[in-house]
Amino acid sequence: MSENSSTTKVLLALLAGAGIGAAIGAGAALLLTPNDGKTNRKKLKNKINQMSSDFHETAENIMDEIEDGIEELTKSQTEKPAEDGQ
């Protein structure tokens, strides 16, 4: 179970790092564009919404994979004593 917990922590740290990197990149790109403030704010809002949606989708997929792995481990552990008894 501790291996699964550490895997979850690593995946969450990876997602957080990717999100922070994307936000910094988007901010730098906005600061270096020749657009006016109104256009930049609109682009920033759209980019943040897209990144948020992508982040939630990726997090849900990872959590589904983790839950499936836990389910498989639990199933294999509950079937193991029955196999030993036969």
Coordinates of all heavy atoms in Angstrom, one line a residue:
M1 N 0.8 -1.2 0.0 CA 0.0 0.0 0.0 C 0.9 1.3 0.0 O 0.5 2.2 -0.6 CB -0.9 0.0 1.2 CG -1.8 1.2 1.3 SD -3.5 0.7 0.9 CE -4.3 2.1 1.7
S2 N 2.1 1.2 0.7 CA 2.9 2.4 0.7 C 3.5 2.7 -0.7 O 3.7 3.8 -1.0 CB 4.0 2.2 1.7 OG 4.9 1.2 1.3
E3 N 3.7 1.7 -1.5 CA 4.2 1.9 -2.9 C 3.1 2.6 -3.7 O 3.4 3.5 -4.4 CB 4.5 0.6 -3.6 CG 5.0 0.7 -5.0 CD 5.4 -0.6 -5.6 OE1 5.8 -1.5 -4.9 OE2 5.2 -0.6 -6.8
N4 N 1.9 2.3 -3.5 CA 0.8 2.9 -4.2 C 0.6 4.4 -3.7 O 0.4 5.3 -4.5 CB -0.5 2.2 -3.9 CG -1.6 2.5 -5.0 OD1 -1.3 3.1 -6.0 ND2 -2.8 2.0 -4.7
S5 N 0.8 4.6 -2.4 CA 0.8 6.0 -1.9 C 1.9 6.8 -2.5 O 1.7 8.0 -2.8 CB 0.8 5.9 -0.4 OG 0.8 7.2 0.2
S6 N 3.1 6.3 -2.5 CA 4.2 7.0 -3.1 C 4.0 7.3 -4.6 O 4.4 8.4 -5.1 CB 5.5 6.4 -2.8 OG 5.6 5.1 -3.5
T7 N 3.4 6.4 -5.3 CA 3.1 6.6 -6.7 C 2.1 7.7 -6.9 O 2.3 8.5 -7.8 CB 2.6 5.3 -7.3 OG1 3.5 4.2 -7.2 CG2 2.3 5.5 -8.8
T8 N 1.1 7.7 -6.0 CA 0.1 8.8 -6.1 C 0.8 10.1 -5.8 O 0.5 11.1 -6.6 CB -1.0 8.6 -5.1 OG1 -1.6 7.3 -5.3 CG2 -2.0 9.6 -5.1
K9 N 1.7 10.2 -4.9 CA 2.3 11.5 -4.5 C 3.2 11.9 -5.7 O 3.2 13.1 -6.0 CB 3.2 11.3 -3.3 CG 2.4 11.2 -2.0 CD 3.3 11.0 -0.8 CE 2.4 10.8 0.5 NZ 3.3 10.6 1.6
V10 N 3.9 11.0 -6.3 CA 4.8 11.3 -7.5 C 3.9 11.9 -8.6 O 4.3 12.9 -9.2 CB 5.6 10.1 -7.9 CG1 6.3 10.4 -9.2 CG2 6.6 9.8 -6.9
L11 N 2.8 11.2 -8.9 CA 1.9 11.6 -10.0 C 1.3 13.0 -9.7 O 1.3 13.9 -10.6 CB 0.8 10.6 -10.2 CG 1.3 9.3 -10.8 CD1 0.1 8.3 -10.9 CD2 1.9 9.5 -12.2
L12 N 0.9 13.2 -8.5 CA 0.4 14.6 -8.1 C 1.4 15.7 -8.2 O 1.2 16.8 -8.7 CB -0.3 14.5 -6.8 CG -1.5 13.7 -6.6 CD1 -2.0 13.7 -5.2 CD2 -2.6 14.2 -7.6
A13 N 2.7 15.3 -7.8 CA 3.8 16.3 -7.9 C 4.1 16.6 -9.4 O 4.3 17.7 -9.8 CB 5.0 15.8 -7.2
L14 N 4.0 15.6 -10.2 CA 4.3 15.7 -11.6 C 3.2 16.6 -12.3 O 3.5 17.6 -13.0 CB 4.3 14.4 -12.3 CG 4.5 14.4 -13.8 CD1 5.9 14.9 -14.2 CD2 4.3 13.0 -14.4
L15 N 2.0 16.4 -11.9 CA 0.9 17.2 -12.4 C 1.0 18.7 -11.9 O 0.8 19.6 -12.7 CB -0.5 16.7 -12.0 CG -1.0 15.4 -12.7 CD1 -2.2 14.9 -12.1 CD2 -1.2 15.7 -14.2
A16 N 1.3 18.8 -10.7 CA 1.5 20.2 -10.1 C 2.6 20.9 -10.9 O 2.5 22.1 -11.2 CB 1.8 20.1 -8.6
G17 N 3.7 20.2 -11.1 CA 4.9 20.8 -11.8 C 4.5 21.2 -13.2 O 4.9 22.3 -13.7
A18 N 3.8 20.3 -13.9 CA 3.4 20.6 -15.2 C 2.5 21.8 -15.3 O 2.6 22.7 -16.2 CB 2.7 19.4 -15.9
G19 N 1.5 21.9 -14.3 CA 0.6 23.0 -14.3 C 1.3 24.3 -14.0 O 1.0 25.3 -14.6
I20 N 2.3 24.3 -13.1 CA 3.0 25.5 -12.8 C 3.8 26.0 -14.0 O 3.9 27.1 -14.3 CB 3.9 25.3 -11.5 CG1 3.0 25.2 -10.3 CG2 4.9 26.4 -11.3 CD1 3.7 24.7 -9.0
G21 N 4.5 25.0 -14.6 CA 5.3 25.3 -15.8 C 4.5 25.9 -16.9 O 4.9 26.9 -17.6
A22 N 3.3 25.3 -17.1 CA 2.4 25.8 -18.2 C 1.9 27.2 -17.8 O 1.9 28.1 -18.7 CB 1.2 24.9 -18.3
A23 N 1.6 27.5 -16.6 CA 1.2 28.8 -16.2 C 2.3 29.9 -16.3 O 2.0 31.0 -16.8 CB 0.7 28.8 -14.7
I24 N 3.5 29.5 -16.0 CA 4.6 30.4 -16.1 C 4.9 30.7 -17.6 O 5.1 31.9 -18.0 CB 5.9 29.9 -15.5 CG1 5.7 29.9 -13.9 CG2 7.1 30.6 -15.9 CD1 6.8 29.2 -13.2
G25 N 4.8 29.7 -18.4 CA 5.0 29.8 -19.9 C 3.9 30.7 -20.5 O 4.2 31.6 -21.3
A26 N 2.7 30.5 -20.1 CA 1.6 31.3 -20.6 C 1.7 32.8 -20.2 O 1.5 33.7 -21.0 CB 0.3 30.7 -20.1
G27 N 2.1 33.0 -18.9 CA 2.3 34.3 -18.5 C 3.5 35.0 -19.2 O 3.3 36.2 -19.6
A28 N 4.6 34.3 -19.4 CA 5.7 34.9 -20.2 C 5.3 35.3 -21.6 O 5.6 36.3 -22.1 CB 6.9 34.0 -20.2
A29 N 4.5 34.4 -22.2 CA 4.1 34.6 -23.6 C 3.2 35.8 -23.7 O 3.3 36.6 -24.6 CB 3.3 33.4 -24.1
L30 N 2.3 36.0 -22.7 CA 1.4 37.2 -22.7 C 2.2 38.5 -22.5 O 1.9 39.5 -23.1 CB 0.4 37.0 -21.6 CG -0.8 36.1 -21.9 CD1 -1.7 35.9 -20.7 CD2 -1.6 36.6 -23.1
L31 N 3.2 38.4 -21.7 CA 4.0 39.6 -21.4 C 4.8 40.0 -22.6 O 5.1 41.2 -22.8 CB 4.9 39.4 -20.2 CG 4.3 39.3 -18.9 CD1 5.3 38.9 -17.8 CD2 3.6 40.6 -18.5
L32 N 5.1 39.1 -23.5 CA 6.0 39.4 -24.7 C 5.2 39.6 -25.9 O 5.7 39.8 -27.0 CB 7.0 38.2 -24.8 CG 7.9 38.0 -23.7 CD1 8.7 36.8 -23.9 CD2 8.8 39.2 -23.4
T33 N 3.8 39.6 -25.9 CA 3.0 39.8 -27.1 C 2.8 41.2 -27.3 O 2.8 42.1 -26.4 CB 1.7 39.1 -27.0 OG1 0.9 39.7 -25.9 CG2 1.8 37.6 -26.7
P34 N 2.6 41.6 -28.6 CA 2.3 43.0 -28.9 C 0.8 43.4 -28.8 O 0.4 44.4 -29.3 CB 2.8 43.1 -30.4 CG 2.6 41.7 -30.9 CD 2.8 40.8 -29.8
N35 N 0.0 42.5 -28.3 CA -1.4 42.8 -28.2 C -1.7 43.8 -27.1 O -1.0 44.0 -26.1 CB -2.2 41.5 -27.9 CG -2.0 40.5 -29.0 OD1 -1.9 40.8 -30.2 ND2 -2.0 39.2 -28.6
D36 N -2.9 44.4 -27.1 CA -3.4 45.3 -26.1 C -3.9 44.5 -24.9 O -4.0 43.3 -24.9 CB -4.5 46.2 -26.6 CG -5.8 45.5 -27.0 OD1 -5.8 44.3 -27.0 OD2 -6.8 46.2 -27.3
G37 N -4.1 45.2 -23.8 CA -4.5 44.5 -22.5 C -5.8 43.7 -22.6 O -5.9 42.6 -22.0
K38 N -6.8 44.3 -23.3 CA -8.1 43.6 -23.4 C -7.9 42.2 -24.1 O -8.5 41.2 -23.7 CB -9.1 44.5 -24.1 CG -10.5 43.9 -24.1 CD -11.4 44.9 -24.8 CE -12.8 44.3 -24.8 NZ -13.8 45.3 -25.4
T39 N -7.2 42.2 -25.2 CA -6.9 41.0 -25.9 C -6.1 40.0 -25.1 O -6.5 38.8 -25.1 CB -6.2 41.3 -27.3 OG1 -6.9 42.3 -28.0 CG2 -6.0 40.1 -28.1
N40 N -5.1 40.5 -24.4 CA -4.3 39.6 -23.6 C -5.1 39.0 -22.4 O -5.0 37.8 -22.1 CB -3.1 40.4 -23.0 CG -2.0 40.6 -24.0 OD1 -2.0 39.9 -25.0 ND2 -1.1 41.5 -23.7
R41 N -6.0 39.8 -21.8 CA -6.9 39.2 -20.7 C -7.8 38.2 -21.3 O -8.0 37.1 -20.6 CB -7.6 40.4 -20.1 CG -6.8 41.2 -19.2 CD -7.7 42.2 -18.3 NE -8.4 43.1 -19.2 CZ -7.9 44.3 -19.6 NH1 -6.7 44.6 -19.3 NH2 -8.7 45.1 -20.3
K42 N -8.4 38.4 -22.5 CA -9.2 37.4 -23.1 C -8.5 36.1 -23.4 O -8.9 35.0 -23.1 CB -9.9 38.0 -24.3 CG -10.9 37.1 -25.0 CD -11.6 37.8 -26.1 CE -12.6 36.8 -26.7 NZ -13.3 37.5 -27.8
K43 N -7.3 36.3 -24.0 CA -6.5 35.1 -24.3 C -6.1 34.4 -23.0 O -6.1 33.1 -23.0 CB -5.2 35.5 -25.0 CG -5.5 35.9 -26.5 CD -4.1 36.2 -27.2 CE -4.4 36.4 -28.7 NZ -3.1 36.6 -29.4
L44 N -5.7 35.1 -22.0 CA -5.3 34.5 -20.7 C -6.5 33.7 -20.1 O -6.3 32.6 -19.6 CB -4.8 35.6 -19.7 CG -4.4 35.1 -18.4 CD1 -3.2 34.1 -18.5 CD2 -4.0 36.3 -17.5
K45 N -7.7 34.3 -20.1 CA -8.8 33.6 -19.5 C -9.1 32.3 -20.3 O -9.3 31.3 -19.7 CB -10.0 34.6 -19.6 CG -11.3 34.0 -19.1 CD -12.5 34.9 -19.2 CE -13.8 34.2 -18.7 NZ -14.9 35.1 -18.9
N46 N -9.0 32.4 -21.6 CA -9.3 31.2 -22.4 C -8.2 30.1 -22.1 O -8.5 28.9 -22.0 CB -9.3 31.5 -23.9 CG -10.5 32.3 -24.3 OD1 -11.5 32.3 -23.6 ND2 -10.4 33.0 -25.4
K47 N -7.0 30.6 -22.0 CA -5.9 29.6 -21.8 C -6.0 29.0 -20.4 O -5.8 27.8 -20.2 CB -4.5 30.3 -21.9 CG -3.3 29.5 -21.8 CD -3.2 28.5 -23.0 CE -2.0 27.7 -22.9 NZ -1.9 26.7 -24.0
I48 N -6.3 29.8 -19.4 CA -6.5 29.2 -18.0 C -7.7 28.2 -18.0 O -7.6 27.2 -17.4 CB -6.7 30.4 -17.0 CG1 -5.4 31.1 -16.8 CG2 -7.3 29.8 -15.7 CD1 -5.6 32.4 -16.0
N49 N -8.8 28.6 -18.7 CA -9.9 27.6 -18.7 C -9.5 26.3 -19.4 O -9.9 25.2 -18.9 CB -11.1 28.3 -19.4 CG -11.8 29.3 -18.6 OD1 -11.6 29.4 -17.4 ND2 -12.4 30.2 -19.3
Q50 N -8.7 26.4 -20.5 CA -8.3 25.2 -21.2 C -7.4 24.4 -20.4 O -7.5 23.2 -20.3 CB -7.6 25.6 -22.5 CG -7.2 24.4 -23.3 CD -8.3 23.5 -23.8 OE1 -9.3 23.9 -24.2 NE2 -8.1 22.2 -23.6
M51 N -6.4 25.1 -19.7 CA -5.5 24.3 -18.8 C -6.2 23.7 -17.7 O -5.8 22.6 -17.3 CB -4.4 25.3 -18.3 CG -3.4 25.7 -19.4 SD -2.2 27.0 -18.9 CE -1.9 26.7 -17.2
S52 N -7.1 24.4 -17.1 CA -7.9 23.8 -16.0 C -8.6 22.6 -16.4 O -8.6 21.5 -15.7 CB -8.9 24.8 -15.5 OG -9.7 24.3 -14.4
S53 N -9.3 22.6 -17.6 CA -10.0 21.5 -18.1 C -9.1 20.3 -18.4 O -9.4 19.2 -18.0 CB -10.7 21.9 -19.4 OG -11.4 20.8 -20.0
D54 N -7.9 20.6 -19.0 CA -6.9 19.6 -19.3 C -6.4 18.9 -18.0 O -6.2 17.7 -17.9 CB -5.8 20.1 -20.1 CG -6.1 20.5 -21.5 OD1 -7.2 20.1 -22.0 OD2 -5.3 21.2 -22.2
F55 N -6.1 19.8 -17.0 CA -5.6 19.3 -15.7 C -6.6 18.4 -15.1 O -6.3 17.3 -14.6 CB -5.3 20.5 -14.8 CG -4.8 20.0 -13.4 CD1 -3.5 19.6 -13.3 CD2 -5.7 20.0 -12.4 CE1 -3.1 19.2 -12.0 CE2 -5.3 19.6 -11.1 CZ -4.0 19.2 -10.9
H56 N -7.9 18.8 -15.0 CA -8.9 17.9 -14.4 C -9.1 16.6 -15.1 O -9.2 15.6 -14.5 CB -10.3 18.7 -14.3 CG -10.3 19.8 -13.3 ND1 -10.3 19.5 -12.0 CD2 -10.4 21.1 -13.4 CE1 -10.3 20.7 -11.3 NE2 -10.3 21.6 -12.2
E57 N -9.1 16.7 -16.5 CA -9.2 15.4 -17.2 C -8.0 14.5 -17.0 O -8.2 13.3 -16.7 CB -9.3 15.8 -18.7 CG -9.5 14.6 -19.6 CD -9.6 14.9 -21.1 OE1 -9.9 16.1 -21.4 OE2 -9.3 14.0 -21.9
T58 N -6.8 15.0 -16.9 CA -5.6 14.2 -16.7 C -5.7 13.6 -15.3 O -5.4 12.4 -15.0 CB -4.4 15.0 -16.9 OG1 -4.3 15.5 -18.2 CG2 -3.1 14.2 -16.6
A59 N -6.1 14.4 -14.3 CA -6.1 14.0 -12.9 C -7.2 12.9 -12.8 O -7.0 11.9 -12.1 CB -6.5 15.2 -12.0
E60 N -8.3 13.0 -13.4 CA -9.4 12.0 -13.4 C -8.9 10.7 -14.0 O -9.1 9.6 -13.4 CB -10.6 12.5 -14.1 CG -11.4 13.5 -13.3 CD -12.6 14.0 -14.1 OE1 -13.0 13.4 -15.1 OE2 -13.2 15.0 -13.7
N61 N -8.2 10.8 -15.1 CA -7.6 9.6 -15.7 C -6.6 8.9 -14.8 O -6.6 7.6 -14.7 CB -7.0 9.9 -17.1 CG -8.0 10.3 -18.1 OD1 -9.2 10.0 -18.0 ND2 -7.5 11.0 -19.2
I62 N -5.8 9.7 -14.2 CA -4.8 9.1 -13.3 C -5.5 8.4 -12.1 O -5.1 7.3 -11.7 CB -3.7 10.1 -12.9 CG1 -2.8 10.5 -14.1 CG2 -2.9 9.6 -11.7 CD1 -1.9 11.6 -13.8
M63 N -6.4 9.1 -11.5 CA -7.1 8.6 -10.4 C -7.9 7.3 -10.7 O -7.9 6.3 -10.0 CB -8.1 9.6 -9.8 CG -7.4 10.8 -9.1 SD -6.2 10.3 -7.9 CE -7.3 9.6 -6.6
D64 N -8.5 7.2 -11.9 CA -9.1 6.0 -12.4 C -8.1 4.9 -12.5 O -8.4 3.7 -12.1 CB -9.8 6.2 -13.8 CG -11.0 7.1 -13.7 OD1 -11.6 7.3 -12.5 OD2 -11.5 7.6 -14.7
E65 N -6.9 5.2 -13.0 CA -5.9 4.1 -13.2 C -5.5 3.6 -11.8 O -5.3 2.4 -11.6 CB -4.7 4.6 -13.9 CG -5.0 4.8 -15.4 CD -3.8 5.4 -16.2 OE1 -2.6 5.2 -15.7 OE2 -4.0 5.9 -17.2
I66 N -5.3 4.6 -10.8 CA -4.9 4.2 -9.5 C -6.0 3.4 -8.8 O -5.7 2.3 -8.2 CB -4.6 5.5 -8.6 CG1 -3.3 6.1 -9.2 CG2 -4.5 5.1 -7.2 CD1 -3.0 7.5 -8.6
E67 N -7.3 3.8 -9.0 CA -8.4 3.0 -8.4 C -8.4 1.6 -9.0 O -8.7 0.6 -8.3 CB -9.7 3.7 -8.6 CG -9.8 5.0 -7.7 CD -11.1 5.8 -8.1 OE1 -11.8 5.4 -9.0 OE2 -11.3 6.8 -7.4
D68 N -8.2 1.5 -10.3 CA -8.2 0.2 -11.0 C -7.1 -0.7 -10.4 O -7.3 -1.9 -10.2 CB -8.1 0.3 -12.5 CG -9.3 0.9 -13.2 OD1 -10.4 0.9 -12.5 OD2 -9.2 1.3 -14.3
G69 N -5.9 -0.1 -10.2 CA -4.8 -0.8 -9.7 C -5.1 -1.3 -8.3 O -4.8 -2.5 -7.9
I70 N -5.7 -0.5 -7.5 CA -6.0 -0.8 -6.1 C -7.0 -2.0 -6.1 O -6.9 -2.9 -5.3 CB -6.5 0.4 -5.3 CG1 -5.4 1.4 -5.0 CG2 -7.2 0.0 -4.0 CD1 -5.8 2.7 -4.5
E71 N -8.0 -1.8 -7.0 CA -9.0 -2.9 -7.1 C -8.4 -4.2 -7.5 O -8.8 -5.3 -6.9 CB -10.1 -2.4 -8.1 CG -11.4 -3.2 -8.1 CD -12.4 -2.5 -9.0 OE1 -12.8 -1.4 -8.8 OE2 -12.7 -3.2 -10.0
E72 N -7.5 -4.2 -8.4 CA -6.8 -5.4 -8.9 C -6.0 -6.0 -7.7 O -6.0 -7.2 -7.5 CB -5.9 -5.2 -10.1 CG -6.7 -4.9 -11.4 CD -5.7 -4.6 -12.5 OE1 -4.6 -5.1 -12.5 OE2 -6.2 -4.0 -13.5
L73 N -5.3 -5.2 -7.0 CA -4.5 -5.7 -5.9 C -5.4 -6.3 -4.8 O -5.1 -7.3 -4.2 CB -3.7 -4.5 -5.3 CG -2.4 -4.1 -6.1 CD1 -1.8 -2.9 -5.5 CD2 -1.4 -5.2 -6.1
T74 N -6.5 -5.6 -4.5 CA -7.4 -6.1 -3.5 C -8.0 -7.4 -3.9 O -8.1 -8.4 -3.1 CB -8.5 -5.1 -3.2 OG1 -7.9 -3.8 -2.9 CG2 -9.5 -5.5 -2.1
K75 N -8.4 -7.5 -5.2 CA -9.0 -8.7 -5.7 C -8.0 -9.9 -5.6 O -8.3 -11.0 -5.2 CB -9.5 -8.5 -7.1 CG -10.2 -9.7 -7.7 CD -10.7 -9.4 -9.1 CE -11.4 -10.6 -9.7 NZ -11.8 -10.3 -11.1
S76 N -6.7 -9.6 -6.0 CA -5.7 -10.7 -6.0 C -5.4 -11.1 -4.6 O -5.1 -12.3 -4.3 CB -4.5 -10.2 -6.7 OG -3.8 -9.2 -6.0
Q77 N -5.5 -10.2 -3.6 CA -5.2 -10.5 -2.2 C -6.3 -11.3 -1.6 O -6.1 -12.2 -0.8 CB -4.9 -9.3 -1.4 CG -3.6 -8.6 -1.7 CD -2.4 -9.5 -1.5 OE1 -2.3 -10.1 -0.5 NE2 -1.5 -9.5 -2.5
T78 N -7.6 -11.0 -2.0 CA -8.7 -11.8 -1.4 C -8.8 -13.2 -2.1 O -9.3 -14.1 -1.5 CB -10.0 -11.0 -1.6 OG1 -10.2 -10.7 -3.0 CG2 -10.0 -9.7 -0.8
E79 N -8.3 -13.3 -3.3 CA -8.4 -14.6 -4.0 C -7.2 -15.5 -3.5 O -7.3 -16.7 -3.6 CB -8.4 -14.4 -5.5 CG -9.6 -13.8 -6.0 CD -9.6 -13.6 -7.5 OE1 -8.5 -13.7 -8.1 OE2 -10.6 -13.2 -8.1
K80 N -6.2 -14.9 -3.1 CA -4.9 -15.7 -2.8 C -5.2 -16.7 -1.7 O -4.8 -17.9 -1.8 CB -3.8 -14.7 -2.4 CG -2.5 -15.3 -2.4 CD -1.4 -14.2 -2.1 CE -0.1 -14.8 -2.4 NZ 1.0 -13.7 -2.2
P81 N -5.8 -16.4 -0.5 CA -6.0 -17.4 0.5 C -6.9 -18.6 0.0 O -6.7 -19.7 0.4 CB -6.7 -16.6 1.6 CG -6.3 -15.2 1.4 CD -6.2 -15.1 -0.1
A82 N -7.8 -18.3 -0.9 CA -8.7 -19.4 -1.4 C -7.9 -20.3 -2.2 O -8.1 -21.5 -2.2 CB -9.8 -18.8 -2.2
E83 N -6.9 -19.8 -3.0 CA -6.1 -20.7 -3.8 C -5.1 -21.5 -2.9 O -4.8 -22.6 -3.2 CB -5.2 -19.8 -4.8 CG -6.1 -19.2 -5.9 CD -5.3 -18.2 -6.7 OE1 -4.1 -18.0 -6.5 OE2 -5.9 -17.6 -7.6
D84 N -4.6 -21.0 -1.8 CA -3.7 -21.7 -0.9 C -4.5 -22.8 -0.2 O -3.9 -23.9 0.0 CB -3.2 -20.7 0.1 CG -2.2 -19.7 -0.5 OD1 -1.7 -20.0 -1.6 OD2 -1.9 -18.7 0.2
G85 N -5.7 -22.7 0.0 CA -6.5 -23.7 0.7 C -6.8 -24.9 -0.1 O -7.2 -25.9 0.4
Q86 N -6.7 -24.8 -1.4 CA -7.1 -25.9 -2.3 C -6.0 -26.8 -2.6 O -4.9 -26.7 -2.6 CB -7.6 -25.3 -3.7 CG -8.9 -24.6 -3.5 CD -9.4 -24.1 -4.9 OE1 -8.7 -24.1 -5.9 NE2 -10.7 -23.6 -4.8

